Amino acid sequence: MKFYRVNALLYKYLKISTNRLERIFDIVYWPVIDLFIWGFVLRYINKLGAVHGSFNFIFGGIILWVFCWRAQQDIAVYVLEDFWSRSLYNLFASPLKLSELVVSLFIFSLMRSILTFGFLFLIAFVLFSFNIFTINLTALALFVLALLLIGWVMGIFISGVIFRYGMQVQIFAWSVAWLIQPFSCVFYPLSSLPGWAQKVAVWLPTTHVFEGLRQVINTGIINWNGLAYAYISSLVLLVLSCLFFKRCVEKAKKLNLLTSHE
Amino acid sequence: MNAIEIKNLKKSYGKTLAVKGISFNIRKNEILGLLGPNGAGKTTIIKILAGVLTKDSGKIKILGKDPDKEKEFVANRMNVASPDSELTGIMTVYQNLKVYGKLYGVKNIKERIDYLLDLFEIKDLKHQKLKHLSKGQSTRVLLCKGIINNPEVLLLDECTLGLDPHIAYKTRKIIKELNATILFTSHNMHEVEWLCDRIAFMDKGKILKIGTVSSLKKLIKTEKVKMKFDKSEGLANFFKKLDIKILSLKGDTVVFEIDYKKHKLQDLIEKITKQGFKINDIIIKKASLEDIFIKVAKREL
Ligand SMILES: Nc1ncnc2c1ncn2[C@@H]1O[C@H](COP(=O)(O)OP(=O)(O)O)[C@@H](O)[C@H]1O
Ligand SMILES: [Mg+2]
């Protein structure tokens, strides 16, 4: 692994971002809209006299979800950028290693996630007077990292699928994270799900992060077991998804998918 | 010393056998031209060497190494320019070249890019987005990318396609002066003849002939001769008797093909004058690379 090649890709991703309005929109537009909708809904529910305190974990959920969502989508979309520009031929003829490509995607998606996080923190703080940093900071950092890992798992997995099946599957680049959101108990506890959905949800690492978030907000206690499950499962999945990605790229090289543009 | 060694290389796309067991070597700093009709398999070979396509079987050595095992060593010293490849359209020329300068670990990237843009006369496009350039202009940017790392091995797949004559000429000169081992494909015969030390003719996934231009030309034993006489009557009959194939006969001018296995030009001229014809003008057209190409493709050689 050579850092100057990772740096080359980070530079490229940065220039793509500043030259393409959509990539700037990604960071701000949908996350902020999401926050506004939930913010206003919660205000209304609160006026109806619902239980106080629900505010915090829903805001916390929205803001932390961003790490999972952004990480997944950014990895897939920046891989797609190279498909759209048909530059894979030049990229793969260069000394770049697959591991360097993956690491630069990790780093860049992390930077973009932090930017979105910053925006959401500010808006939640100013408009809805919610300060996410009142949550136990150790727990918060651990949650963020776990969600990032899961976002990377999904991003790398879907990138592999794109390498293998081309741009006809590009819709998944934007939608995979949303597929697991309903089952990840971002806004509601696991116990509130119907039985069959609980059976699915309990396997997802994300569920254990958001359950842990609620527990910390309510009781101040960190659920180490839940966190351990989230970390072990997402690290295993990360290794698997990277292997899958490698295989997909190798298959694409066999089938001449890197340089033929459909 | 060979910079590129290819042994029994095979590649198929599904049921299409694109490369059917090809072997050849390219010596260090030699320019080898790969010629052949569309679909011959030239691009397939280049893509495999560039590392963007996996071969089915065969052995490849580039700079003495197996590129599958020592990708970094090989890729750092190699580069490719092909119209099949593109750069990032929404980025500027400079930004694109900077990315590749960094990827290839080029020192003094800024100076190198300025030098290359100047070389290909596109300095004024430095800060233009690539998507706004014409085809010929973006081809020049691709060429800049192709030599940004001063490659020891350079793969050029129809890289002069769409360049205007002045830039195409300049590009050939630049390529010729590079100190690199080059595999070059083009449909422009003059270009190939002028540029390449050796030429390999391929068709349908096989190499039919390989050699220097002059050695290939020696394979053709016929020449076209155009003669203008002082009179026209009796000409057709006379040539028929000599067993010479007339390609065209217009008035007093005859174009025929002389086969050196059967005739010597000297003897022929003697016979003509003996018969009372006077030759007013004579033009001998040497076999061109194009003639060889056509004959090879028709399997006449
Ligand atoms: N992606 C592909 N899928 C199927 N067949 C292909 C593909 N690419 C090339 N071919 C076939 O392989 C053969 C060689 O193609 P190519 O190497 O591009 O030839 P050339 O560059 O000499 O024109 C052709 O018959 C072509 O139709
Ligand atoms: Mg071709």
Side-chain angles (χ1 to χ4, degrees):
Chain A
M1 172 114 31
K2 290 277 190 328
F3 191 73
Y4 65 81
R5 291 197 290 260
V6 172
N7 190 24
L9 290 191
L10 292 178
Y11 171 78
K12 177 164 98 169
Y13 297 148
L14 180 70
K15 291 302 164 188
I16 289 176
S17 308
T18 52
N19 282 331
R20 209 198 270 290
L21 199 60
E22 293 111 288
R23 296 292 84 82
I24 298 170
F25 259 57
D26 293 338
I27 297 184
V28 191
Y29 189 80
W30 290 114
V32 167
I33 287 196
D34 216 28
L35 189 71
F36 268 110
I37 289 178
W38 278 103
F40 292 145
V41 168
L42 291 176
R43 250 175 123 92
Y44 173 65
I45 292 176
N46 211 33
K47 264 195 201 139
L48 290 180
V51 204
H52 211 78
S54 56
F55 247 59
N56 282 355
F57 27 90
I58 293 186
F59 270 121
I62 297 169
I63 295 178
L64 289 190
W65 171 249
V66 150
F67 284 96
C68 201
W69 171 24
R70 276 265 61 78
Q72 179 270 307
Q73 190 180 315
D74 284 341
I75 287 182
V77 167
Y78 281 85
V79 162
L80 273 176
E81 285 282 359
D82 282 330
F83 272 84
W84 293 331
S85 66
R86 302 172 166 202
S87 60
L88 289 170
Y89 190 149
N90 286 318
L91 201 61
F92 279 83
S94 83
L96 183 73
K97 287 183 180 158
L98 221 48
S99 55
E100 291 157 353
L101 173 64
V102 168
V103 165
S104 58
L105 287 166
F106 284 171
I107 295 175
F108 200 70
S109 64
L110 167 65
M111 296 195 310
R112 281 169 56 98
S113 306
I114 290 173
L115 268 182
T116 303
F117 173 81
F119 270 106
L120 292 189
F121 162 73
L122 269 182
I123 291 172
F125 186 67
V126 173
L127 294 181
F128 302 104
S129 43
F130 168 73
N131 181 1
I132 197 165
F133 292 110
T134 53
I135 299 172
N136 179 323
L137 286 183
T138 316
L140 193 66
L142 288 170
F143 293 151
V144 164
L145 188 61
L147 290 171
L148 258 178
L149 288 176
I150 301 156
W152 287 345
V153 167
M154 289 188 290
I156 288 299
F157 174 77
I158 199 62
S159 300
V161 176
I162 290 170
F163 267 97
R164 180 63 188 79
Y165 295 101
M167 287 185 279
Q168 54 190 343
V169 294
Q170 59 179 303
I171 183 70
F172 291 117
W174 288 275
S175 54
V176 169
W178 296 109
L179 206 65
I180 69 156
Q181 197 197 28
F183 301 98
S184 298
C185 305
V186 182
F187 309 115
Y188 35 75
L190 181 65
S191 56
S192 71
L193 288 180
W196 64 271
Q198 282 193 29
K199 281 186 193 126
V200 179
V202 76
W203 290 100
L204 293 174
T206 37
T207 303
H208 296 273
V209 173
F210 291 106
E211 286 284 293
L213 173 69
R214 275 182 291 272
Q215 192 172 347
V216 155
I217 291 176
N218 280 338
T219 66
I221 296 168
I222 300 174
N223 180 348
W224 291 106
N225 284 342
L227 264 177
Y229 175 81
Y231 270 90
I232 292 169
S233 56
S234 48
L235 282 171
V236 169
L237 287 172
L238 191 64
V239 172
L240 290 178
S241 63
C242 286
L243 289 174
F244 173 76
F245 180 69
K246 186 163 177 267
R247 279 190 62 145
C248 289
V249 172
E250 279 163 5
K251 189 86 185 165
K253 273 194 192 177
K254 268 213 175 86
L255 298 177
N256 192 25
L257 303 177
L258 296 186
T259 56
S260 62
H261 318 286
E262 277 120 48
Chain B
M1 196 204 130
N2 291 324
I4 297 182
E5 291 178 10
I6 298 177
K7 243 188 226 141
N8 206 14
L9 181 68
K10 288 184 187 158
K11 176 72 191 175
S12 57
Y13 302 105
K15 282 182 189 141
T16 317
L17 267 167
V19 175
K20 304 174 186 166
I22 274 183
S23 307
F24 64 88
N25 297 332
I26 311 181
R27 285 186 288 273
K28 197 169 184 303
N29 288 354
E30 183 184 37
I31 304 183
L32 182 82
L34 212 48
L35 280 183
N38 292 321
K42 308 178 294 290
T43 297
T44 304
I45 293 177
I46 295 222
K47 282 181 184 172
I48 292 172
L49 290 174
V52 294
L53 185 64
T54 312
K55 61 182 192 253
D56 291 346
S57 62
K59 277 204 176 122
I60 294 177
K61 278 210 164 162
I62 299 175
L63 299 170
K65 313 256 183 204
D66 178 345
D68 291 337
K69 293 193 184 117
E70 299 190 54
K71 152 119 188 160
E72 191 178 3
F73 177 92
V74 173
N76 266 322
R77 292 162 180 79
M78 189 164 71
N79 212 325
V80 57
S82 153
D84 284 344
S85 72
E86 284 176 38
L87 298 168
T88 307
I90 55 168
M91 282 162 52
T92 66
V93 170
Y94 176 76
Q95 290 165 351
N96 270 295
L97 291 176
K98 188 165 166 187
V99 169
Y100 283 89
K102 282 165 171 265
L103 280 175
Y104 283 94
V106 173
K107 307 253 153 52
N108 302 323
I109 293 180
K110 271 186 189 155
E111 288 78 13
R112 180 75 183 148
I113 293 174
D114 281 335
Y115 166 78
L116 290 170
L117 293 179
D118 204 25
L119 194 64
F120 285 97
E121 302 181 15
I122 42 173
K123 227 176 178 171
D124 50 327
L125 303 177
K126 186 173 175 182
H127 298 297
Q128 296 252 0
K129 284 190 184 168
L130 220 64
K131 64 176 176 184
H132 295 141
L133 304 191
S134 74
K135 185 81 190 131
Q137 289 169 330
S138 40
T139 301
R140 277 137 86 181
V141 180
L142 275 176
L143 282 162
C144 292
K145 180 245 123 182
I147 56 175
I148 196 159
N149 58 330
N150 260 319
E152 287 173 44
V153 174
L154 181 57
L155 310 167
L156 298 172
D157 194 4
E158 297 185 37
C159 70
T160 52
L161 205 72
L163 297 180
D164 67 58
H166 160 68
I167 292 297
Y169 170 74
K170 201 162 172 192
T171 303
R172 285 195 285 277
K173 268 186 68 175
I174 294 169
I175 292 171
K176 187 124 192 160
E177 280 159 20
L178 287 174
N179 250 333
T181 307
I182 298 174
L183 182 58
F184 186 87
T185 80
S186 164
H187 286 293
N188 182 335
M189 301 289 159
H190 299 291
E191 178 170 278
V192 172
E193 183 164 357
W194 185 82
L195 198 57
C196 299
D197 303 310
R198 270 192 316 149
I199 288 167
F201 281 107
M202 57 179 303
D203 190 19
K204 305 210 172 81
K206 289 221 153 236
I207 289 192
L208 304 178
K209 289 272 182 261
I210 186 162
T212 59
V213 176
S214 57
S215 76
L216 286 171
K217 280 188 172 172
K218 277 186 199 139
L219 292 173
I220 291 199
K221 303 285 191 233
T222 59
E223 269 173 8
K224 269 186 211 158
V225 182
K226 186 175 174 182
M227 279 185 186
K228 197 173 151 73
F229 297 95
D230 59 338
K231 57 183 179 193
S232 56
E233 63 266 20
L235 273 178
N237 253 338
F238 173 66
F239 276 95
K240 214 176 187 176
K241 258 193 264 167
L242 286 178
D243 188 25
I244 285 178
K245 195 173 152 203
I246 292 186
L247 298 173
S248 81
L249 172 65
K250 265 189 211 140
D252 55 4
T253 306
V254 186
V255 180
F256 59 91
E257 196 175 69
I258 176 165
D259 186 338
Y260 291 115
K261 282 178 281 182
K262 289 192 203 157
H263 301 277
K264 276 191 183 146
L265 193 58
Q266 177 107 20
D267 301 345
L268 187 63
I269 291 171
E270 264 171 33
K271 280 181 192 158
I272 289 170
T273 36
K274 254 189 201 160
Q275 198 68 22
F277 291 106
K278 201 174 146 224
I279 302 169
N280 283 342
D281 196 9
I282 179 166
I283 297 170
I284 299 169
K285 200 175 158 270
K286 296 251 173 224
S288 67
L289 203 55
E290 199 159 350
D291 297 323
I292 304 173
F293 183 92
I294 291 166
K295 286 202 189 269
V296 169
K298 285 195 201 155
R299 303 291 198 280
E300 286 175 13
L301 279 183

